Amino acid sequence: MAEIIQKDGTWVFDGDALRLTPGRDKNVSLLRRELGELLVPLAALAGISFEQGKKSGRLRLRLRDGADPLLHATGGRLTEPHDPYQLLVESDRYGVAEYFVDEVRNALLLDQVPSGPVDAYLLPGPSVPLSVSAGDAVASFDGERVRLEWKWQAEDAKSAAGPRTLPLADITAVEWQPTVGLENGHLRFTVRAAPSKVPPKYDPNAVELWGFKKDPLMALVAAAVQARLPHPAARAALADARGADEPPAPAPAAEDDHDALLRRLRELGELHRSGVLTDEEFTLAKQAVLKRM
């Protein structure tokens, strides 16, 4: 077992998973404190690194693409203080940090963990129910529906219609964007049959964020919803299947195309067995591939 304890937090590795606990120091971000302890399975890791500085260094975990709903919903836009996969290391603990990196890297090699994307979330996302007040709304999620209650600062285009309730079944995507410079951030839900996107300030399916302390907490709502939406790998498989009836692009050779379709069938079978695709989705995708063959 390897362990490193810092004011910024504590990381423990037992050979199978990393337990990341945020510190109680006043400099630890509100998002990390609210997110709490994370258990990251070894299979979710793509790598680990340690960067030394004159006064302090930083441990960084790199997760496999698609392993964590928080990273997917935020699109890699979590800034350094809020990223739960970074740990500030004091200079007198550099040796411990390097030992920690070696232990994790050795385990990745021994278990032959691939660094490529995964087809299912390996972390559960924030627990529900949860509620966050930031920007022009209070956003709540109970696992089945999102509720947006507008504050007095919200535009009339939002507040005139009253609180907004979005069933999870109607949500197709969620996005969190931080405030950058003079451009406000947002938490936006893409909803079936909704009109084309309008600025978050007027969009009844979006919360506008103004760069205040609690803004990053909206990322927790985004991650909790994302964890309960179909995994991106499943959506990509369905998109491929639905596009099968469109005129195909020229193929280099029939034999090569046939082999590619066989590989696609095997991939769909793996997605179905792992639970990423439902029986109905798998049947639809398989029939589309067979039609092309």
Side-chain angles (χ1 to χ4, degrees):
M1 187 176 79
E3 179 182 62
I4 180 166
I5 303 173
Q6 294 289 276
K7 292 180 181 179
D8 195 38
T10 299
W11 285 12
V12 179
F13 177 57
D14 63 6
D16 296 317
L18 290 97
R19 190 175 298 275
L20 316 180
T21 306
R24 297 182 179 181
D25 188 75
K26 63 180 181 179
N27 294 322
V28 175
S29 78
L30 185 59
L31 171 63
R32 288 178 58 204
R33 292 202 300 267
E34 289 293 324
L35 188 59
E37 187 175 87
L38 291 176
L39 187 65
V40 183
L42 187 66
L45 287 186
I48 182 172
S49 63
F50 175 59
E51 302 165 3
Q52 292 190 16
K54 291 183 179 179
K55 295 183 178 180
S56 64
R58 193 170 295 275
L59 274 171
R60 298 178 189 268
L61 292 181
R62 184 166 59 88
L63 270 61
R64 298 171 65 187
D65 189 24
D68 181 23
L70 173 64
L71 294 183
H72 185 81
T74 57
R77 292 182 289 268
L78 280 176
T79 54
E80 197 169 89
H82 310 298
D83 188 344
Y85 303 114
Q86 298 187 29
L87 181 70
L88 196 65
V89 179
E90 297 165 11
S91 57
D92 63 345
R93 306 300 286 171
Y94 282 0
V96 177
E98 290 170 347
Y99 171 76
F100 192 93
V101 168
D102 288 341
E103 288 293 294
V104 175
R105 284 178 176 170
N106 289 338
L108 288 171
L109 287 173
L110 287 173
D111 285 20
Q112 297 183 338
V113 177
S115 60
V118 296
D119 55 18
Y121 292 123
L122 301 181
L123 282 89
S127 58
V128 295
L130 77 160
S131 181
V132 174
S133 175
D136 64 357
V138 177
S140 305
F141 180 54
D142 62 5
E144 296 181 357
R145 60 189 61 83
V146 172
R147 182 175 174 83
L148 303 176
E149 299 178 66
W150 309 114
K151 298 181 181 179
W152 66 268
Q153 300 99 324
E155 291 291 322
D156 289 344
K158 294 180 174 181
S159 57
R164 180 88 164 152
T165 299
L166 305 174
L168 183 63
D170 292 343
I171 298 174
T172 60
V174 59
E175 175 192 59
W176 175 84
Q177 174 75 51
T179 300
V180 179
L182 298 177
E183 184 177 350
N184 289 338
H186 63 261
L187 168 67
R188 190 197 296 272
F189 301 95
T190 302
V191 180
R192 300 181 198 278
S196 57
K197 288 183 178 180
V198 297
K201 185 175 183 178
Y202 306 104
D203 187 349
N205 299 319
V207 178
E208 186 182 36
L209 304 173
W210 300 314
F212 296 138
K213 183 179 179 180
K214 290 188 176 181
D215 282 10
L217 294 181
M218 280 294 180
L220 298 180
V221 179
V225 173
Q226 184 67 58
R228 290 158 179 83
L229 294 178
H231 191 271
R235 291 201 296 270
L238 281 177
D240 288 348
R242 288 169 181 159
D245 292 332
E246 299 177 0
E255 184 177 353
D256 291 343
D257 185 61
H258 187 269
D259 290 342
L261 292 173
L262 286 175
R263 286 195 299 272
R264 189 60 181 153
L265 280 176
R266 286 194 292 271
E267 292 170 359
L268 290 172
E270 292 173 1
L271 290 171
H272 181 234
R273 285 190 294 275
S274 64
V276 174
L277 292 178
T278 64
D279 292 344
E280 182 181 355
E281 291 169 340
F282 172 67
T283 300
L284 174 66
K286 183 175 71 172
Q287 288 175 348
V289 174
L290 291 175
K291 185 184 295 185
R292 292 172 65 183
M293 293 179 69

